[in-house]
């Protein structure tokens, strides 16, 4: 069966019904602010109906409107890590010190409570608004854009850092100093 603009698939109590030759619905007027009063902003359709986004990964595009606003408000020498996959999807971690530790230890600056994370797993090293990540001898390794790292690796906007089950995206402040000024790895 071909599903096109004249086919409607509906789910009701776990049963799928397909109606063909249905006139397409007129687009609904959207509020001026895309995040204002949009009941679908944090939901997705599943086989059993509409479910909260917390049960899935982050929406397409990687950041919610709230995440984008948080990144925009960052001080010049800081950055934000946002959990995209794994426990605590949507959690944000601020990088605002020369060294930020991540691990399963409650003493870590970024506490990631999962057995796939070592007590002392990774460090985020900051200098002049730029950050790098390094593994500190973890059992499962630290990955940058799905490649295991063995040495300190500079981070760029949108990079994915994986620590155990957690996949976090890196978002530096848009107000940071010009590239190359105190840059790590330059």
């Amino acid at each position: 069966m071909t599903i096109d603009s004249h086919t409607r698939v509906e789910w009701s109590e776990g049963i799928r019904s397909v109606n063909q030759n249905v006139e397409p619905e007129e687009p609904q007027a959207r509020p001026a602010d895309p995040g204002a009063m949009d009941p679908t902003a944090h939901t997705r359709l599943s086989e059993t109906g509409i479910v909260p986004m917390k049960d899935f990964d982050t929406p397409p595009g990687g950041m919610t409107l709230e995440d984008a606003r948080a990144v925009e408000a960052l001080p010049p020498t800081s950055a934000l890590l946002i959990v995209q996959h794994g426990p605590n999807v949507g959690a944000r971690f601020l990088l605002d010190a020369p060294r930020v530790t991540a691990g399963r230890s409650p003493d870590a600056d970024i506490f990631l409570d999962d057995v796939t994370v070592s007590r002392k797993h990774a460090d985020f090293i900051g200098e002049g608004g730029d950050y790098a990540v390094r593994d500190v001898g973890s059992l499962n390794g630290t990955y940058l854009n799905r490649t295991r790292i063995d040495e300190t690796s500079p981070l760029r906007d949108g990079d994915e850092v994986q620590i155990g089950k957690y996949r976090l995206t890196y978002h530096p402040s848009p107000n940071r100093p010009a590239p190359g000024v105190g840059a790590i790895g330059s």
Side-chain angles (χ1 to χ4, degrees), residues 20-71:
Q20 290 188 320
N21 300 322
V22 175
E23 288 300 315
E25 294 178 8
E26 291 297 318
Q28 301 274 332
R30 303 209 32 103
D33 178 2
M37 303 303 287
D38 184 359
T40 63
H42 298 293
T43 59
R44 280 200 187 157
L45 186 62
S46 76
E47 291 183 12
T48 58
I50 295 177
V51 295
M53 279 298 285
K54 66 180 169 60
D55 295 341
F56 290 96
D57 290 346
T58 300
M63 284 202 302
T64 64
L65 182 61
E66 294 85 13
D67 291 339
R69 287 181 178 154
V71 169

Side-chain angles (χ1 to χ4, degrees), residues 87 104 112-118 121 138-141 163-166:
R104 193 171 33 118
L112 301 172
D113 191 17
D114 189 82
V115 295
T116 61
V117 178
S118 295
H121 200 107
S138 68
L139 180 63
N140 291 325
I163 299 173
K165 288 183 181 179
Y166 294 85

Side-chain angles (χ1 to χ4, degrees), residues 27-168:
Q28 301 274 332
R30 303 209 32 103
D33 178 2
M37 303 303 287
D38 184 359
T40 63
H42 298 293
T43 59
R44 280 200 187 157
L45 186 62
S46 76
E47 291 183 12
T48 58
I50 295 177
V51 295
M53 279 298 285
K54 66 180 169 60
D55 295 341
F56 290 96
D57 290 346
T58 300
M63 284 202 302
T64 64
L65 182 61
E66 294 85 13
D67 291 339
R69 287 181 178 154
V71 169
E72 189 65 35
L74 287 171
T77 59
S78 62
L80 201 61
L81 291 172
I82 302 173
V83 178
Q84 300 294 325
H85 181 78
N88 305 325
V89 168
R92 300 178 198 148
F93 299 103
L94 181 64
L95 301 178
D96 64 347
R99 178 174 171 254
V100 178
T101 61
R104 193 171 33 118
S105 168
D107 296 331
D109 298 314
I110 298 174
F111 176 55
L112 301 172
D113 191 17
D114 189 82
V115 295
T116 61
V117 178
S118 295
R119 285 180 185 87
K120 294 180 180 176
H121 200 107
D123 285 343
F124 293 90
I125 309 300
E127 182 180 316
D130 292 316
Y131 278 86
V133 62
R134 73 173 172 213
D135 187 84
V136 291
S138 68
L139 180 63
N140 291 325
T142 301
Y143 294 79
L144 178 59
N145 297 322
R146 311 251 173 135
T147 301
R148 189 171 182 150
I149 59 171
D150 295 319
E151 54 189 42
T152 301
S153 300
L155 294 170
R156 291 178 177 73
D157 191 14
D159 277 352
E160 180 185 86
V161 177
Q162 183 171 346
I163 299 173
K165 288 183 181 179
Y166 294 85
R167 287 198 307 230
L168 309 102

